[in-house]
Amino acid sequence: MKVVLSILTVIALLFVHNAGAQGKISVKVVTNVNSFSCECGETSFIYKDTFVATTKKVKVLFPLVDFECPKKMMEDDLQDLFKSGTYPYAKLTIVKFANANNTMSAEIQITLKDKTNHYTVALTNTTKAGKSYLKGQQNINLRDYGVEPPTKMMGMIKVKDIVTISFEIPKDEILPTENN
């Protein structure tokens, strides 16, 4: 269970459920017994803009030590599982936005440890307390990141390969400018 919680925390890398208007990232982990989520709030997000030619890429870093899980033991397992001493952040890079026919999507990269995978994610626009957020969700396979889904209690509790990462990020932090 400890490893499962650690995986959730690291993978969650992306969402926190706090009162008021605030972005978040969360990771939902499912086992053969139950499910749980770990979250990281916007106050921990680190935004980094990079430019390749004239294209702006936005990278959001999520400190693994800032993920909150239902139990402290799960947080510790998450940090151990993803080697937070060597790789202190989970990363979400927004490579490209598309907005056609009232449907918004983004090409993203998710980096855990030293592995990066690419996805296309549907986005929705939400407003809380007068602030706009882009919201998305992506299922990822732990094995794609070199992570063996953990087991607990001598194999009686098994973490499923697929975890769900959900994010809600302030729109003004990640949308490219018209010139970039």
Side-chain angles (χ1 to χ4, degrees), residues 16-180:
V16 124
H17 292 76
N18 287 341
Q22 181 175 348
K24 61 186 172 182
I25 185 164
S26 66
V27 175
K28 181 177 180 182
V29 175
V30 178
T31 72
N32 60 323
V33 176
N34 64 9
S35 65
F36 61 94
S37 292
C38 297
E39 300 175 341
C40 181
E42 180 182 349
T43 56
S44 296
F45 296 1
I46 299 170
Y47 302 99
K48 295 189 175 228
D49 295 344
T50 58
F51 293 86
V52 177
T54 60
T55 303
K56 178 181 178 181
K57 292 171 65 172
V58 178
K59 184 181 291 182
V60 185
L61 306 177
F62 306 96
L64 295 175
V65 298
D66 288 350
F67 276 85
E68 295 180 6
C69 298
K71 297 187 182 204
K72 174 70 170 138
M73 178 179 65
M74 294 175 164
E75 294 170 10
D76 294 341
D77 286 343
L78 179 91
Q79 292 174 29
D80 290 343
L81 184 66
F82 290 98
K83 300 180 181 176
S84 66
T86 304
Y87 307 103
Y89 301 99
K91 299 172 189 126
L92 172 72
T93 304
I94 298 160
V95 178
K96 183 178 177 183
F97 282 95
N99 192 356
N101 301 325
N102 269 347
T103 303
M104 195 179 325
S105 64
E107 290 179 27
I108 65 169
Q109 299 171 341
I110 295 175
T111 304
L112 297 172
K113 293 176 26 176
D114 59 348
K115 305 275 186 196
T116 301
N117 289 300
H118 303 262
Y119 307 94
T120 299
V121 182
L123 299 173
T124 57
N125 191 34
T126 62
T127 303
K128 292 192 282 185
K131 189 170 181 179
S132 291
Y133 294 85
L134 291 177
K135 197 172 179 180
Q137 179 174 301
Q138 180 64 47
N139 291 336
I140 65 169
N141 189 321
L142 294 174
R143 294 178 194 275
D144 291 345
Y145 293 91
V147 175
E148 183 70 27
T151 61
K152 289 292 184 177
M153 296 183 63
M154 299 176 70
M156 292 177 62
I157 299 174
K158 298 176 184 176
V159 172
K160 304 287 183 178
D161 291 4
I162 306 298
V163 298
T164 302
I165 297 177
S166 302
F167 58 92
E168 193 169 298
I169 300 174
K171 190 174 183 178
D172 61 349
E173 292 285 354
I174 60 174
L175 273 182
T177 63
E178 288 185 29
N179 297 331
N180 292 326

Side-chain angles (χ1 to χ4, degrees), residues 9-21:
T9 301
V10 171
I11 296 176
L13 0 135
L14 310 179
F15 304 99
V16 124
H17 292 76
N18 287 341

